[in-house]
Amino acid sequence: MNIMSEATLENAVNEKVAAATNERIKMRGEKVGVFYGDKQALFDVDLLVRQNQVTALIGPSGCGKSTFLRCLNRMNDTIDNARVVGQITLDGEDIYDRDIDVVELRSRVGMVFQKPNPFPKSIYENVAYGPRIHGLARSKTDMDEVVESSLKRAGLFNEVKDRLNEPGTGLSGGQQQRLCIARAIAVSPEVILMDEPCSALDPIATARVEELIDELRENYTIVIVTHSMQQAARVSQRTAMFHLGNLVEEGPTEKMFTNPDDKRTQDYITGRFG
Amino acid sequence: MNIMSEATLENAVNEKVAAATNERIKMRGEKVGVFYGDKQALFDVDLLVRQNQVTALIGPSGCGKSTFLRCLNRMNDTIDNARVVGQITLDGEDIYDRDIDVVELRSRVGMVFQKPNPFPKSIYENVAYGPRIHGLARSKTDMDEVVESSLKRAGLFNEVKDRLNEPGTGLSGGQQQRLCIARAIAVSPEVILMDEPCSALDPIATARVEELIDELRENYTIVIVTHSMQQAARVSQRTAMFHLGNLVEEGPTEKMFTNPDDKRTQDYITGRFG
Amino acid sequence: MTDIPFDPAGATDAAAPPRRDIGIKRRYRAERRFRLYGLVAIGIGIFFLAALLFTVIRGGYTAFWQTSINLAVTFDASVIDPDGKRDSDPNVLATANYPLLARNALATRLGIDVEAEESRADLRLLSGMISQGVRTQLRDMVMADPAIIGATRNVWVLSNADVDSAHKGQIDLSVPESRRKVKDKQVGWMKTLTADGAMVERFNSGLFTLGASSRPEMAGMGVALIGSLYMMLIVLVLALPIGVAASIYLEEFAPKNRWTDLIEVNINNLAAVPSIVFGLLGLAVFVNFAGLPRSASLVGGLVLTLMTLPTIIIATRAALKAVPPSIRSGALGIGASRMQTVFHHVLPLAAPGVLTGTIIGLAQALGETAPLLLIGMVAFVADYPATPLDPATALPVQIYMWANEAERAFVERTSGAIIILLLFLAAMNLAAILLRRRFERRW
Amino acid sequence: MSVSWVLAIILVIGVAAFMVARMRAARLEPQAGVKQHSLPGYHGSYALILAIFPAIIFFGVWKAVSPIYVDSAVWRSLPEQVRSASDVNRSLTMGTIYTIGDGMRHLAPAELDQVRSGQADLKALFASKGVALASSGEAYMIPAAETYRSLSDSSSLSSAIGAILLSLAGAWLGLSGITLRRRARNNVERVMLWGLIAASTVAILTTVGIVLSMLFQTLTFFQSVPLSNFFFGTVWDPRFAAAGSGGATGQFGLIPLLAGTLYIALVAMLFAVPVGLFAAIYMSEYASRKVRSVVKPVLEVLAGIPTIVYGIFALVTVGPLLRDISAALAGGQPFIMAQSVLTAGLVMGIMLIPFVSSLSDDIISAVPRALHDGSLGLGATRSETVRNVILPAALPGIVGALLLTASRAIGETMIVVLAAGVAARLTFNPGEAMTTITVKIVNQLTGDLEFTSPQTLVAFALGITLFVITLGMNVLALYIVRKYREQYE
Amino acid sequence: RDQIQIAGSSTVLPYAKIVAENFSEAYSNFKTPVVESGGSSGGLKEFCKGVGENTIDIANSSRPIKESEVKACADAGVTEIQEVRIGYDGIVFATDINGPDWTLTAQDLYKALAAQVVVDGKLVDNTVAKWNEVNSALPDWDIAAYIPGEKHGTREVFEEKLMTEGCKASGALEAIAATGADEKAAAAACIAVRKDGKAVDIDGDYTETLARIDSNKTGVGVFGLAFYENNADKLKVATVEGVSPSVETIAKGEYPVSRPLFFYVKKAHLDVVPGLKEYVDFFLSDDMVGPDSPLAEYGLVAAPDGERDEQRSAFESGKTM
Ligand SMILES: Nc1ncnc2c1ncn2[C@@H]1O[C@H](COP(=O)(O)OP(=O)(O)OP(=O)(O)O)[C@@H](O)[C@H]1O
Ligand SMILES: Nc1ncnc2c1ncn2[C@@H]1O[C@H](COP(=O)(O)OP(=O)(O)OP(=O)(O)O)[C@@H](O)[C@H]1O
Ligand SMILES: [Mg+2]
Ligand SMILES: [Mg+2]
Ligand SMILES: O=P([O-])([O-])[O-]
């Protein structure tokens, strides 16, 4: 009980601040916990995701970043033994509500996975798939356009423009990752969740994706998991630090990287490497 | 014809240099080319891998790094439409020779893949598998030791020590990656090929793996693909830069990062990010 | 959990932007429809299974009970050994007129004078009420203990099959007496006996243990069970390894060329060969060429093996194909040989599919009659086979033969036999299903 | 020495070699810089293989070849005039000689002498020993039988000795030269590979066997019935010739049977495939583990029910039901007969449900979940995911399952006999009866007709024809699968 | 081999089974013979494979062996075949028990079931739809006759004794001959059964016919006498040419439709296979094939006394074909 009010207090305060700075809250997690079977992987996470901002989730491997990210569009539903407690809202609506429409939710909150998982279809079809099921392209030319622009924005178009009809699984690791990004943005979701979108990318491609994120931020809200402090620093406005399933600290990126409140954050970001 | 003598010339020069500096050549690629179907993905690569050194392969996504890496232990054999030309030797033996025992080759030249691919078995079994088939542990205790030390060296042991019997597929992305590293080093190969072993790792885990690489270097030879220039700079003694399927340049890491010969290398490593 | 005093109530939450139309209603309808189709499909399957089981069980459960008559049989020496030569001639005891003993006992029981001239007709009717099997039953008692001669024993004897059917109400007693096998007098006696508790339905263990017989009450599935058991063992021992080995070769090792295409097409094609043609093959190869005996379960097992192979191979190949390549490269990458990769990683992952193929293949083999026809297993076999080389039948054969019998009593036995076959099938599949569940795993 | 003894001895040698080799390999001294190539178990298995396989192959080949040699030797030992006289029924003569030779083993020495001196009534004597002789044989057969006997005795002795020696030699070879670098694993695996190859040739051999076991009779059949009559005839009435043709052989038109086969199989597939596929999809995508673990085996029971039960079900329940329903719908005249293509297809479809559902379920479940997640993460509904991502990825396997199903539909007999009857007619109306090739194969083979007549022999022609037709369909299917295959990862 | 192996006709099978069973009870030192089913043709084919351990000893047949088969046998070394006629099989027409009485004649049957009839001197397809169109004494039922399929020997009897006779009696034969058909063609036209679904071939056994009548109460089926007797509470038998089928009328030759049943023994096996001779003797004894025997009780029409004696002595004397 005690802990609870403490935690929500934090959110409340944050909200006040947000309101003061005229930031709108897109998503809000309250006391989010996740169990895999009996094992709890995430504990009482309270986190606000601000609209048109990039929120970076950082923390050591296995601390629960992906798990939390998956909560945000209910991808955890698909894991047999996963159970989510707490509350998460999108535009004030509880996304774990019975009435909520998971499909619509996922079309509004898109996701790029940690392991690239292109469909065993052609590159074109990989990208066209989302728009097609959501009916976002009226005609073949529309679709071509959507596919092209998505691939372009993901920085892949030039490499694959001659082989749009070849299978997406024949691409290199980094190309697959960019394909998955293109696939996700092709449906223009309101929130985009990216689980280490640049892990398999070289610096140039990374730069391209980071640019893209910056671009997208104007219209969309982005949550990104990254291991690169630099990346977090470069692209995000706010950063949340996880440790052992707990949210250690959350705040404006600048502050987090210069003057973190928590000792663990400090230790982590000043670790020898970056 | 012309090109060929030119290329091998390069190797020959390099060898002279190696001999002069008392370095032993562990592996040697000569005019290595790879075709996927009709499409050539790698062109005439000449590269020396020096014993007890870390060779880093860098280059933009899709340039053929993984492809080349796979040539070194003939993993390309398993891709239906892949065809390798040219010659690669290990300790002077042509590894594409008819007489060569591919299995033994792969036990000597181990590999960590770009996408973590743990077996759908328990964590313990994932690591114990290699030592078991190679008869590296005589008893259960031996095996326990091998598993524990491998997991420790990969920096995973603490996180999983209570759940060694749970499936390796239930780990987080980074944990899976470290599991695959543990699995590969458990068989103590002579050469270890690592395809972006730290892409899903946080800085601390990355540091652990880099330490590991440094450690391993004393007894083994390592080839690593990485997108992080810093990482290449930190761990490798020699760096090879690929571009569009061509080996652009190869040399001591220091020189590569301070004074590359090739304009493309220069451009790549001084790209805005790193 | 939201009853926090100063909940700002989402004042700062983003106002819901205008929702895009992604046809959600329509898609959900499609989704529900799709799901419904699935449910309906399963429903259809289960409905028909239930209907089939219902018809079978309704028609067959009575076969597991058999009308028996309790008689106080006097082992009359004057009947068994009228000439008193049993010590010198061993055949006397073997060939004595035992049914007479039972008939006399029944007559006594019903108060009919055995000696009287006018009861001759009645006595014939009485004989007709007792199963001919009483001959071996009483004979075995006497042979086991000749001292029994002269004594009286209480014995449960089987009633004749027609009486059994009448007792179970399967014969329409309203038709004129001349049109039915059970006469009015017999019905009267049955009532008397039933009222006395001397005629009851007892569990029909003979259905499981006895061999074939032309007398329904004496007919059992024993030989067929043994025959099927032998055959299924042979099929399992041969078809599963050969099938899996062939699939592994084709899927994991074979170069993809015309020759392997040929093999692949061939195997698929074998699945379409009518089963009786396998019988022709078995006759030609195993009986005529290799000189194996006719009617033997060994030959049957071999024929069914060939017939089952394509099913197992096709299922196994599909399962092997479904294992993601990353598993293979993972193992190869740490120096496992291809053989090791396949046997340590790929095959275990494909095991559920292999087992499904095995289940279906074995089920099919278990229910097959046509190929057995040509190798002589659709036969009347009364003696138990000691080895797979002895004549035997199989469960579906017995069903097939009983289904074609004229006697009414075989109707329920046919259904009873089907129930036994299904039990056999269930027992056989249970192991495979449990195994399959162990191997099932998502990744 | 009997065959089983020889095999047992070889086996014992093999097992011993295995144990010793494994032990030796385990005790090898490790050397600096030299890795042991193979695990001890592989060394053991290699020794086992060397000890067993060559010996058994030798033994088997000898056993297969020596009778041919003995046969020709015995034949040559026969007097010239006998040879020329009985050339036509050589096999009969030789058979008698063999029977006499084998029968002589059962005789006591005194009886043997009698036989040799030609005094004994062979037939009676042999009968008393339980050996059947078709005739009493001729005098020249006795020495020939003895030749046969001594030849085969010495052959079996030398084969036994040879095999055991070979086995010992193999064991020695396996045990000597166990070194760190010996590639025992490669050798063992090579043998395993040959084993796998051998297993896959069983299918080829079966095919060859099937064709051979039918070819001869088929040719005989086509000697009396012209090809065109068979392949292009539209009337199946084997006992009656077409009016005016005057022939006595009858009409063997394949077309109505072929049409019936395809039609009934099509109806069955039209029922089984959607039901089975949807059931599979539901089980793998929607149902909980528990439900699935119950429903799947339950549906599999459908595949195990003997087809005669389905036949009876069709005959007494489904057929009349369909007829009555159609009569009620049409108001009087039923448009579906009790025996009809529809009834047969429907009931056969029920039987085929698990072929589709269980196999497809396994294949669908094997699609990596990352693909699933990828699609769901884009906001696809489950059904969209299944239709657009999962099914295409699982397609090759599913097509395999469907092929198997179709094959079963074509090969089924009992259901068709009882549900659609045996009347070979050519019609498009699924409410009427048709019959299939398989049914006719069974009927012509098991009938009362003369077994030498074309009426019976036509079964073989039908068998081979069906074989060729399905072969063609399979080639087509292979081609299609190749074209549309989607490989994941 | 210590077990007799028998194969062949499914019509003879039930009788052979009864004999086999009683044989093993009477001779407890012999194993029960194995009796395969598989049709007369299949049985004879196996029979003619040759002599020896791996071949069968007896072939049951519901028709006499054909010339060509004897020859095929001889080619394979089976030169001495002993023929045994065991009795007769009555063939009856029956309807559902609740139907009216039926009195059939060959003529009616022919008119109802012939494929083609002569109208105005031309052969045209038979279009008769109801029984009472053939003969007003017959019920007003749609024609639905379940007759033995062409694989069955019974079919030949049906054609010979009913269709051909009916064809002659109704004058159709002449009419057909008048259309210009030669003798052979006319005979063939006489026995051709309509194929429009009114006459349904049954290739299975009588149980199938019974099931069909069960599901179509206005169907007429052809059964063996034995089968009918076992199911007399469900079936009503029709008289043919005024004679009601029974063991007596058939034995006397009054009832027109019956056929002899046979089995064939390999003489070469007689001394060799233990019990074979005893089995045949046992089969031929009056205890088995006599008028009061279990076979007769089951439905076999016993041959007249003289014929049985003749069979016995023929077998005893070793008479071969
Ligand atoms: N199996 C395949 N079939 C066809 N083309 C392939 C296949 N694998 C790789 N390629 C192509 O070969 C080229 C080199 O691929 P490779 O995987 O070696 O790149 P990479 O340097 O490892 O890139 P990344 O850093 O993105 O992993 C790419 O263009 C890729 O699309
Ligand atoms: N399906 C699962 N079943 C059981 N445990 C799981 C499962 N998925 C994740 N976990 C565990 O939950 C914890 C959090 O995992 P998560 O994937 O969220 O980590 P992460 O922060 O994304 O790490 P990484 O940076 O390595 O991807 C880890 O300890 C992991 O092992
Ligand atoms: Mg993660
Ligand atoms: Mg790569
Ligand atoms: O089986 P049958 O030969 O008597 O028809």
Side-chain angles (χ1 to χ4, degrees), chain D residues 466-480:
Chain D
L466 183 63
F467 192 86
V468 172
I469 291 172
T470 51
L471 192 69
M473 298 195 327
N474 273 303
V475 171
L476 193 69
L478 181 77
Y479 173 76
I480 292 172

Side-chain angles (χ1 to χ4, degrees), chain C residues 110 122 124-130 160 162-163 177 180-193 199:
Chain C
L110 292 168
D122 283 358
R124 274 191 66 165
L125 285 177
L126 279 183
S127 293
M129 289 183 70
I130 303 171
N160 177 288
D162 294 319
V163 172
E177 187 180 8
R180 49 181 145 89
K181 294 230 142 179
V182 185
K183 307 300 171 196
D184 287 342
K185 257 198 179 144
Q186 290 176 319
V187 174
W189 292 328
M190 279 167 58
K191 288 203 174 112
T192 320
L193 290 170
M199 179 178 264

Side-chain angles (χ1 to χ4, degrees), chain D residues 78-79 82 100 115-118 122 136-145:
Chain D
L78 294 180
V82 175
I100 294 174
V115 170
R116 289 200 183 104
S117 59
L122 271 188
S136 267
E138 319 263 340
Y140 71 82
M141 288 180 172
I142 310 263

Side-chain angles (χ1 to χ4, degrees), chain A residues 52-98:
Chain A
N52 297 359
Q53 297 208 350
V54 178
T55 307
L57 310 184
I58 61 170
S61 167
C63 65
K65 306 178 297 293
S66 300
T67 302
F68 180 72
L69 203 68
R70 280 199 300 262
C71 291
L72 295 180
N73 72 344
R74 294 188 53 179
M75 280 308 291
N76 276 330
D77 290 11
T78 65
I79 299 177
D80 270 351
N81 64 346
R83 194 160 49 84
V84 179
V85 300
Q87 199 191 34
I88 298 176
T89 60
L90 170 66
D91 291 339
E93 262 180 294
D94 182 356
I95 64 168
Y96 280 87
D97 196 81
R98 281 183 148 275

Side-chain angles (χ1 to χ4, degrees), chain D residues 77-89:
Chain D
S77 79
L78 294 180
E80 178 60 42
Q81 69 273 25
V82 175
R83 269 189 283 169
S84 53
S86 62
D87 209 30
V88 270
N89 44 8

Side-chain angles (χ1 to χ4, degrees), chain C residues 266 269-270 272-274 277, chain D residues 206-208 210-211 214 437 461-474:
Chain C
N266 228 308
N269 191 37
L270 282 182
V273 170
V277 171
Chain D
T206 310
T207 303
V208 172
I210 284 177
V211 171
M214 296 194 293
I437 295 181
L462 285 175
I464 286 207
T465 310
L466 183 63
F467 192 86
V468 172
I469 291 172
T470 51
L471 192 69
M473 298 195 327
N474 273 303

